[in-house]
Amino acid sequence: MLLNLNFAFANSIEEEYNANRMSYLRAVLNNNTALEIKHLENIIKYGKKLGHNTSKYEKELAKIKKRKNATSSKTTTKTKVQKAQTAKKVTKNKPKPKTNSLNYTVKNVYTKNNMIVIDFYTNITKKHIDYSIDKTKYSNLYLFDIKGSFKDARPTKLEISGIDRIYIIQKEKNLLHIKVRDKSKLKPIYIVNKKQIIIKFLNISSNVNSNTTKTNTNRNIINVNRYKRKVVVIDAGHGGKDVGAVGSNKKYEKKVVLAVGKYLYNILKKRGYDVYITRKGDTFIEVRNRTILANKKNADIFLSIHANSIAKSKAHKVKGVETFFLSPARSARAKRVAAKENSSDVRSMSLATKNSFLTVLNQSKITASNKLAIDVQQNMLYTLQQKYKDTVDGGVREGPFWVLVGAQMPSILIEVGYISHPTEGKRLYKSSYQKLLANGIANGIDSYFLKNP
C-alpha cells in the first residue's frame, strides 16, 4: 500500500513538472515575464524532487530576473527624474513648442543603399502603406501612398543610385506620396517594422549604368553581398518512397517542394547567401536526419518546404499558404498539419518523447523562429497576390513538427499551398508559380535579416 502511495505521489510530481514546462512555453510565447518566472521556479522545484538536472532552467531564471530588475531600475530612475523635474519652479518664460506637432506623424524620410526608409513617431501597421504600379510606354512608375504627414516633404530630395527619379509629395493632409520612376523593371518590396516602413529594391544593382561613378559602383557591390555571410539551409520535404501529399492525377508533394526548393536555392545564391539544400533529387531522408546538415554548417536559419492537403470532401473549400514555427500546437488545424508532416517518422508521441521535444525549445529560438515565419509569410503572400488575387492567407501558426526539433537555429516549416485543391493544386505544378513562391520566400528571408542582422 505504501509503495502505491509513493508511486502515486511521484506521478503527481511528474505531472506538475510537465504541466509547468508547458505553461512556461505559453508564457514565453505570450511575452509574460511574471508567468515565465513563476513556472520556471516550479519547474526547478519539482525537477529537483524528481532528481532531474535543472541547471539550464536555473540559468534561464537568473537571466530573466536580471533583465526584469534592470528594467525596473530604469523605470525607477526615470520616475525619480520626472518627479524632480516636476518639483522645479515654473519659469515665466513661455513653454517651448513640441518638436512633433500633432499635425505631423512622419518623423523622417531618407534613402540608404537600395532602400527608402520612412520613420514614424508612433507604431504603425501594414495599413499605413498602399502600393501600385503604373506602366507606360517609356517608363515604369511605382507608387507608394503612405498614411501620414511629413513636415519636410517639399524640401526633402530622395536619390538611389541606379534609379532614374524619386518624387516625394505631401499629396493630402494625411497622405504622403512617394513615386519611383525608372525605365527598367524594378522589384520593390516593403517591410513594416513598428515605427518604420522600409521600401527595398531587390534588383537595383542590375540597373546601374556603365558610366556610374566608382563610388556608386562600390555601393551597389555592397548591396549584392550584404548577406554573403548568412548561411541558409533549405529542406525540400519528403522524397523517394515518401511521396508526401497526393493531388489529382497523382501529383506528388515531393516533386512540387523540390522544384520550389531548387528555385529558392538559386535565388538566394544570386543574392549572396551561403546556401545548402538537403536533397537535390528524388531521395528519401529520415525526418530526424534533415537538420544534421543545418547544424553541421552552423546555419543561421533552416526552412522546410511542404505542400498541404485535406480530405476530398473539403478539398474544394480549403486552400492558401501558411508558415509554422516549432511549438506545442494550439489549434486543431495546426495539429492536423503536424500529424500529416510527422507521419513518415516512426516515433510515437510518448511522454518521454514529448519531454524530449519540449527540452529543445528555448525562448530565443521561439522568438526568432516566430519573427522569421512572419516575414516569410507576409512576403510570400504579397508576391503571390500580385498575380493571383485569390491567394488565401493561412497565417503564421505554432506546431510540433519533428523536422524542426533538431535544428539549433531559428527554423520554420512552410506550406506553399494545398495540393488537394482543384485550382491551387494545378498552380503548384507550374514552374511560373513555383518561381513566384521562391521569390516570395527569398524576400521574406531578406526582410528577416534586414531587421535581425
Side-chain angles (χ1 to χ4, degrees), residues 203-407:
N203 62 335
I204 190 62
S205 58
S206 63
N207 294 319
V208 180
N209 296 325
S210 57
N211 60 355
T212 305
T213 63
K214 187 176 180 181
T215 306
N216 288 337
T217 304
N218 290 336
R219 213 167 112 186
N220 283 283
I221 289 170
I222 293 168
N223 291 340
V224 174
N225 295 327
R226 66 179 292 121
Y227 303 118
K228 192 173 182 180
R229 295 181 182 177
K230 298 297 181 184
V231 181
V232 179
V233 171
I234 303 162
D235 172 47
H238 309 281
K241 65 181 182 180
D242 177 18
V243 300
V246 182
S248 59
N249 299 320
K250 290 189 177 180
K251 289 183 172 67
Y252 293 148
E253 176 186 354
K254 66 176 183 177
K255 291 185 178 180
V256 170
V257 298
L258 180 59
V260 175
K262 283 182 173 180
Y263 285 129
L264 178 60
Y265 176 90
N266 291 327
I267 292 167
L268 293 178
K269 272 281 185 186
K270 288 178 182 177
R271 294 188 187 182
Y273 290 93
D274 194 1
V275 198
Y276 300 91
I277 190 165
T278 55
R279 67 181 180 96
K280 293 183 179 180
D282 188 19
T283 52
F284 175 74
I285 305 171
E286 291 280 357
V287 171
R288 70 188 79 186
N289 295 333
R290 288 179 179 264
T291 53
I292 291 175
L293 178 63
N295 295 334
K296 186 179 177 182
K297 297 296 182 183
N298 196 25
D300 292 288
I301 58 172
F302 174 80
L303 305 92
S304 190
I305 302 173
H306 293 258
N308 223 327
S309 68
I310 200 165
K312 285 184 179 180
S313 58
K314 296 180 181 178
H316 63 291
K317 294 180 181 178
V318 184
K319 62 177 181 175
V321 293
E322 51 198 334
T323 309
F324 292 84
F325 64 99
L326 182 64
S327 178
R330 290 187 174 186
S331 68
R333 183 170 180 172
K335 287 176 182 176
R336 174 184 61 75
V337 176
K340 178 182 78 69
E341 300 301 353
N342 292 336
S343 61
S344 63
D345 196 302
V346 296
R347 291 174 291 180
S348 60
M349 266 285 202
S350 63
L351 178 62
T353 307
K354 282 181 181 176
N355 289 344
S356 298
F357 164 67
L358 291 172
T359 301
V360 302
L361 299 177
N362 58 70
Q363 183 174 356
S364 59
K365 182 178 171 183
I366 288 175
T367 305
S369 297
N370 192 1
K371 288 178 179 178
L372 175 61
I374 290 168
D375 283 328
V376 167
Q377 177 68 15
Q378 285 181 344
N379 282 275
M380 182 170 55
L381 185 70
Y382 170 77
T383 304
L384 289 174
Q385 286 181 340
Q386 296 305 299
K387 188 171 182 180
Y388 300 95
K389 302 293 183 185
D390 61 339
T391 303
V392 173
D393 181 8
V396 171
R397 300 172 184 271
E398 308 159 31
F401 295 92
W402 286 125
V403 71
L404 303 181
V405 170

Side-chain angles (χ1 to χ4, degrees), residues 24 27-28 31-40 64 363:
Y24 165 63
V28 169
N31 202 22
N32 190 324
T33 305
L35 284 179
E36 284 180 45
I37 292 171
K38 176 188 172 183
H39 293 304
L40 276 172
I64 293 170
Q363 183 174 356

Side-chain angles (χ1 to χ4, degrees), residues 37 57 77 121 208 270 345 376 429 436 446:
I37 292 171
Y57 295 113
T77 305
Y121 284 105
V208 180
K270 288 178 182 177
D345 196 302
V376 167
Y429 252 69
L436 277 177
D446 280 351

